[in-house]
Amino acid sequence: MGVRGLQGFVGSTCPHICTIVNIHELAERHRNKYPGCTPTIVVDAMCCLRYWYTAESWVCGGQWREYYCALRNFVAAFTSAGIKLIFFFDGMVEPGKRDEWVKRRLKNNREISKIFHYIKSKRDQPGRNMFFIPSGLAIFTRFALKTLGQETFCSLQEADYEVASYGLQHNCLGILGEDTDYLIYDTCPYFSIGDLCLESLQTIMLCREKLCESLGLRVADLPLLACLLGNDITPESMFESFRYKCLSSYASVKENAGKKGNIILAVSDYISKVLHLYQGEKKIEEMLPLGPNKALFYKGVTSYLLPGQKSPWLVQKPKGMITDKQQMVSLNPESKQEVPMCIDPEFKQEVPVCTNPESMQEVPMCMDPEPNQEASMCTDPESKQEVPMCTDSESKPEVSQYTNPESKQKLPSGIDTEFNLEALMCTHPEFKQEDVMDMEPEIKQVTMVSESEILKVARMHHVHSESYLVYNILSSGEIECSNTLEDELDQALPSQAFIYRPVRQRVYALLLGDWKDGASTGPVVKEWFVYPGNSLKHPDLVRPLQMTVQGGTPSLEVLWLSQEPAVQAQRLDTLLACFNLSSSREELQAVESPLRALCCLLIYLFVQVDTLSLEDLHAFIAQALCLQGKSTSQLMHLQLDYINSRAVQLGSLLVRGLTTLVLVNSACGFPWTTSEFMPWNVFDGKLFHQKYLQSEKGYAVEVLLEQNRSWLTKFHNLKAVVCKACSKENRRIVGRTHWDSPYTGRQGRQGYSSYRTDSTHGHSGQSWRNQGSGGRQHERNHWRRY
């Protein structure tokens, strides 16, 4: 979320930092200055999700057709101006930022509780002031942008670092986002997405040079200021007493700046008047009360240094030392020219970042590691570099995409490896190993698998935003899932984290190798999944779950690398086995696209959750069929009588199932095209809500299908496939009027609020609330064994 207090300070105290600019005009100037280079803006996509989601309805599960249309219009506005967009998404949570991630998730939980309280009391959607982005929005935005032909990348570390690095190395026109960290990075200009007018391409440019002028600092001082104020790495509380000491001795307090604003001014004044005075004579730890936080402080400052950059506040490394952000090797033993190389963290193989196939000469994509002077980035966004580095697709090398036929992208040369503590120790020899370990005990991740070729494939698909969680599982064995619109007071519906866990467990078995259920040793995946009752103090430790694939479970080499036509059937068999639906293969194959994946998901849901009724099934199927005949405008103008809290949960539950399909499909080698389970093809929140309300009132199927006879046959066929598959698992789907019957749900089981972990493994029949939600006191004995 950037530097604490800086956003408000810029808006209230230093508004002159913000300059109204027209991106179209800046692009024209860029073209004139760098002929042959396409003006490029690198987009921090995670900052833009709220800007892009303009649909009025947001609690029902998402208005995905409207959202897709908004993304298409966004891309078209820049394309028509001749501007290229490069999108970056967060690919993982760095260990050092896990606490901040947890803090935000718990805050979101409180907001979601208020949302459901409002829905149940008002039977309406809250106002935009309580807006919460629909589940899976970030995941499906990647695929939407790729479908629209955009270059979309998923980060291997914090996305803002890769965004800033890419913008600097490729001479980009600017960065589009909403994060004050981009004022701290010494990179290309920073444009505000929140102030963007799409019709005119006019927005606000925040100038770090003017910020420095107002604070009496240099650009190189900004990382130090950011860490003293507090950011995602250095907690705000770390230097709280120091900031108040600066404020107490600050003689130029401004009444209009407020308390936080004056603190920023006071700390900046201390840096410029006190620290600058002794710079070069004393080490920074002799001038600041770093104490036991020394290593964390240095990590925070270093996190802002892009490839080739140095900080005057850090002890410079001896010549020949390797920095944590890049590797430099000599092109010629007799030459002094250095070429940056991209070091793969798993394989330690050096790969030239950019190669000209005609001249066979490597082209450096990093700034000069020892610049003689600071480059201005304020008045002229194109003045960052004298020599342009074109970002046109023709100038980058092709990278093999293996088995995914939809892959068309190339690996960006600005993606760096993880923060390297060893390099930090080389740069600062006064650090001891135990200091580093105290700073971040989990920073060194253990790779879960050792086959380099498999990791290469997984990494490639991860970077290209083609897979979901697969690389995280293989490389670190740690994954996360953010908040979902779930009512913590509803005892009848399980959390999506539990419902889809058996699927994930089978994926773990597929990715992490052979092992037997119940084994005391073997791979364990750390799951940071948000659900009611989870304090997130520790991850849930989840072991793989064996699955049965006809003919045996194929290896990842076969699933991912084989080009044999027969392997495609094995990929599909493996996907169905992950959902424990191998026995329904023939029926599912008969279902036409794009309803096949949805049908698979519905079977799994109704087998797992006893409290799903026939009315729920009718609503899910009816909305999927009616969606095929609806225009975006019709969906946009659809009106609901009221909002039902249970339907809100069911909408989010289905969308989380679609994200689970993305995980399984990519783990199995892409047996289905991604269009099969993209929500804009199979789900609309308001339309589902309408069908749910109608079905709940007992409306006939013909009414649900809007009297369309052609859909009636498809409806009964889909219903028959789901009911038949459920009956094989001894699950009878009945209407709510029959819930008091002793034959409700699966034979031999009565009551509600229960779900199955698996038909042959796990804890079938146990209440889902006893499986973890609200029962964290049992996690050491029962939950962690699960």
Side-chain angles (χ1 to χ4, degrees):
M1 296 294 290
V3 183
R4 305 298 180 261
L6 188 56
Q7 186 70 47
F9 173 79
V10 168
S12 62
T13 309
C14 298
H16 63 282
I17 293 172
C18 306
T19 305
I20 298 176
V21 296
N22 187 284
I23 297 179
H24 193 290
E25 295 175 359
L26 294 179
E28 286 298 323
R29 289 163 57 187
H30 188 279
R31 266 187 288 268
N32 292 334
K33 189 168 186 177
Y34 305 120
C37 285
T38 302
T40 301
I41 290 179
V42 56
V43 182
D44 186 338
M46 302 302 290
C47 294
C48 301
L49 296 179
R50 288 175 176 267
Y51 175 89
W52 289 329
Y53 192 90
T54 56
E56 181 181 348
S57 173
W58 48 271
V59 298
C60 298
Q63 301 309 109
W64 295 98
R65 287 269 181 91
E66 291 181 56
Y67 183 65
Y68 186 86
C69 183
L71 288 175
R72 183 174 57 205
N73 293 339
F74 180 86
V75 170
F78 286 89
T79 302
S80 62
I83 299 171
K84 182 179 180 179
L85 299 175
I86 304 290
F87 297 88
F88 275 85
F89 289 81
D90 281 328
M92 56 185 61
V93 178
E94 293 185 10
K97 297 191 176 183
R98 178 62 68 186
D99 288 345
E100 185 66 28
W101 184 89
V102 168
K103 181 180 177 181
R104 293 172 190 167
R105 303 293 83 75
L106 295 178
K107 179 183 177 183
N108 289 345
N109 278 344
R110 295 190 290 271
E111 295 175 356
I112 290 173
S113 295
K114 294 177 182 178
I115 290 172
F116 275 100
H117 176 76
Y118 187 98
I119 291 174
K120 288 187 284 188
S121 61
K122 306 286 188 181
R123 300 214 308 173
D124 198 4
Q125 174 181 276
R128 191 77 180 188
N129 61 311
M130 295 178 70
F131 173 75
F132 197 87
I133 63 172
S135 300
L137 193 68
I139 299 165
F140 291 118
T141 301
R142 307 176 196 172
F143 291 96
L145 291 170
K146 290 173 68 65
T147 303
L148 293 168
Q150 301 303 294
E151 285 194 56
T152 308
F153 300 113
C154 204
S155 69
L156 292 170
Q157 59 186 90
E158 194 70 17
D160 57 5
Y161 180 89
E162 294 191 9
V163 167
S165 179
Y166 190 98
L168 175 66
Q169 295 176 13
H170 293 80
N171 190 37
C172 289
L173 185 64
I175 291 169
L176 190 60
E178 205 69 45
D179 190 335
T180 48
D181 276 334
Y182 294 124
L183 271 174
I184 307 300
Y185 285 111
D186 189 1
T187 182
C188 59
Y190 162 37
F191 304 129
S192 167
I193 181 65
D195 295 293
L196 176 66
C197 175
L198 197 59
E199 290 75 18
S200 63
L201 289 186
Q202 184 171 288
T203 188
I204 298 294
M205 180 178 73
L206 292 89
C207 180
R208 62 185 64 86
E209 294 290 339
K210 288 184 179 179
L211 174 64
C212 289
E213 185 180 316
S214 300
L215 299 177
L217 300 178
R218 305 167 301 197
V219 173
D221 297 328
L222 292 178
L224 172 63
L225 174 66
C227 292
L228 293 176
L229 295 177
N231 53 26
D232 288 350
I233 293 179
T234 57
E236 191 174 5
S237 59
M238 183 183 295
F239 293 104
E240 186 173 10
S241 60
F242 168 77
R243 291 194 298 271
Y244 280 104
K245 286 181 181 178
C246 292
L247 183 60
S248 63
S249 60
Y250 183 54
S252 305
V253 174
K254 296 183 179 180
E255 294 184 3
N256 66 332
K259 185 177 181 180
K260 288 189 175 181
N262 278 303
I263 285 177
I264 293 176
L265 291 170
V267 173
S268 301
D269 184 70
Y270 185 86
I271 294 174
S272 62
K273 293 182 179 178
V274 179
L275 299 188
H276 279 176
L277 184 64
Y278 296 102
Q279 190 174 7
E281 299 178 12
K282 294 184 179 181
K283 296 179 181 179
I284 190 69
E285 58 265 25
E286 296 177 9
M287 297 185 284
L288 291 176
L290 299 184
N293 302 311
K294 180 169 62 175
L296 189 58
F297 169 79
Y298 276 106
K299 179 182 177 183
V301 174
T302 307
S303 69
Y304 288 109
L305 302 181
L306 303 179
Q309 294 179 349
K310 293 179 181 179
S311 170
W313 298 104
L314 300 183
V315 180
Q316 300 303 324
K317 67 183 186 305
K319 286 190 176 182
M321 281 291 184
I322 300 173
T323 67
D324 61 299
K325 295 295 184 185
Q326 76 181 105
Q327 172 92 3
M328 307 296 290
V329 297
S330 177
L331 180 66
N332 186 322
E334 299 178 0
S335 170
K336 295 183 179 180
Q337 182 183 6
E338 291 178 325
V339 181
M341 310 292 283
C342 180
I343 303 298
D344 193 299
E346 282 78 38
F347 327 122
K348 307 299 182 185
Q349 294 175 341
E350 298 175 350
V351 183
V353 173
C354 184
T355 305
N356 186 334
E358 297 179 2
S359 64
M360 296 304 290
Q361 179 182 3
E362 285 87 349
V363 182
M365 301 298 286
C366 298
M367 291 281 290
D368 185 349
E370 297 184 4
N372 293 325
Q373 59 183 9
E374 295 180 356
S376 173
M377 292 184 293
C378 177
T379 55
D380 184 3
E382 296 84 40
S383 64
K384 183 68 184 173
Q385 294 168 312
E386 290 301 321
V387 182
M389 296 197 183
C390 295
T391 56
D392 293 344
S393 58
E394 291 79 12
S395 66
K396 290 186 283 185
E398 289 285 349
V399 181
S400 173
Q401 295 298 305
Y402 300 93
T403 60
N404 187 355
E406 302 174 72
S407 299
K408 293 181 180 179
Q409 290 189 320
K410 304 150 192 177
L411 188 67
S413 59
I415 290 186
D416 297 292
T417 61
E418 301 175 31
F419 181 86
N420 189 341
L421 285 177
E422 294 180 2
L424 182 62
M425 293 171 65
C426 291
T427 308
H428 308 284
E430 69 274 14
F431 286 173
K432 298 179 181 180
Q433 179 67 28
E434 51 267 28
D435 293 336
V436 176
M437 297 306 293
D438 289 340
M439 180 188 78
E440 185 50 73
E442 292 184 1
I443 193 71
K444 290 191 176 181
Q445 299 176 345
V446 178
T447 302
M448 300 292 283
V449 297
S450 58
E451 294 83 357
S452 61
E453 192 67 21
I454 290 301
L455 280 172
K456 285 180 182 179
V457 178
R459 184 175 187 267
M460 187 71 66
H461 287 311
H462 173 92
V463 170
H464 289 160
S465 301
E466 295 167 347
S467 65
Y468 171 56
L469 298 181
V470 171
Y471 180 71
N472 308 64
I473 295 167
L474 288 171
S475 62
S476 66
E478 189 169 12
I479 62 173
E480 57 275 326
C481 180
S482 189
N483 305 77
T484 304
L485 282 181
E486 296 175 333
D487 185 5
E488 63 180 355
L489 300 180
D490 187 344
Q491 296 291 314
L493 280 176
S495 169
Q496 64 87 19
F498 302 138
I499 292 176
Y500 298 114
R501 175 167 286 180
V503 180
R504 298 194 301 274
Q505 288 179 281
R506 297 187 188 100
V507 171
Y508 302 157
L510 176 67
L511 296 177
L512 303 180
D514 296 332
W515 80 291
K516 295 183 179 180
D517 292 340
S520 58
T521 60
V524 174
V525 176
K526 297 178 181 178
E527 289 190 348
W528 295 92
F529 275 58
V530 182
Y531 54 80
N534 186 1
S535 64
L536 294 172
K537 292 181 180 178
H538 308 283
D540 292 329
L541 305 181
V542 182
R543 296 192 182 279
L545 187 65
Q546 281 187 323
M547 61 180 174
T548 303
V549 182
Q550 186 176 6
T553 304
S555 66
L556 293 182
E557 286 80 1
V558 171
L559 292 174
W560 293 7
L561 304 178
S562 176
Q563 302 295 325
E564 295 296 327
V567 174
Q568 191 67 4
Q570 288 182 279
R571 295 181 180 120
L572 179 58
D573 287 338
T574 308
L575 181 146
L576 295 178
C578 288
F579 286 94
N580 202 27
L581 296 179
S582 299
S583 61
S584 301
R585 187 186 198 280
E586 186 176 343
E587 292 87 346
L588 286 170
Q589 281 291 85
V591 178
E592 63 183 14
S593 177
L595 301 177
R596 180 171 43 200
L598 177 67
C599 196
C600 168
L601 190 56
L602 290 178
I603 295 171
Y604 178 81
L605 278 175
F606 278 80
V607 169
Q608 290 293 111
V609 186
D610 285 351
T611 53
L612 292 178
S613 68
L614 195 61
E615 290 85 353
D616 300 328
L617 179 61
H618 287 178
F620 278 125
I621 297 177
Q623 74 84 29
L625 291 173
C626 292
L627 180 62
Q628 310 308 313
K630 299 286 186 185
S631 67
T632 302
S633 178
Q634 287 175 313
L635 295 169
M636 187 182 303
H637 293 97
L638 190 65
Q639 298 297 316
L640 299 174
D641 295 336
Y642 60 92
I643 299 296
N644 180 286
S645 63
R646 185 173 184 274
V648 168
Q649 292 191 81
L650 291 181
S652 295
L653 178 61
L654 185 82
V655 173
R656 285 299 187 195
L658 295 175
T659 64
T660 303
L661 268 169
V662 177
L663 164 64
V664 177
N665 193 59
S666 51
C668 296
F670 307 98
W672 284 340
T673 60
T674 55
S675 62
E676 295 257 5
F677 38 84
M678 291 298 105
W680 47 86
N681 291 329
V682 295
F683 180 78
D684 179 87
K686 273 198 301 183
L687 186 60
F688 167 71
H689 216 92
Q690 181 192 63
K691 302 307 176 186
Y692 178 91
L693 297 178
Q694 292 174 346
S695 183
E696 187 183 44
K697 294 175 182 177
Y699 285 21
V701 172
E702 290 79 7
V703 177
L704 296 181
L705 297 176
E706 303 171 5
Q707 307 299 333
N708 189 313
R709 289 175 176 251
S710 64
W711 291 340
L712 190 60
T713 301
K714 292 182 179 180
F715 177 92
H716 287 298
N717 288 341
L718 290 173
K719 178 182 175 181
V721 170
V722 175
C723 290
K724 181 180 179 182
C726 289
S727 66
K728 293 180 181 179
E729 297 296 324
N730 207 21
R731 165 72 158 104
R732 180 186 169 204
I733 305 174
V734 298
R736 290 185 197 138
T737 56
H738 297 84
W739 275 6
D740 293 331
S741 166
Y743 300 105
T744 297
R746 217 167 283 104
Q747 285 186 5
R749 298 179 55 206
Q750 300 181 28
Y752 66 95
S753 88
S754 58
Y755 86 113
R756 303 197 315 161
T757 59
D758 186 73
S759 61
T760 56
H761 304 92
H763 307 275
S764 178
Q766 290 191 4
S767 169
W768 73 272
R769 289 285 173 182
N770 294 333
Q771 294 271 342
S773 180
R776 300 289 292 178
Q777 65 270 25
H778 303 298
E779 70 177 6
R780 289 189 181 276
N781 299 321
H782 166 73
W783 187 238
R784 290 183 181 273
R785 286 202 303 272
Y786 179 84

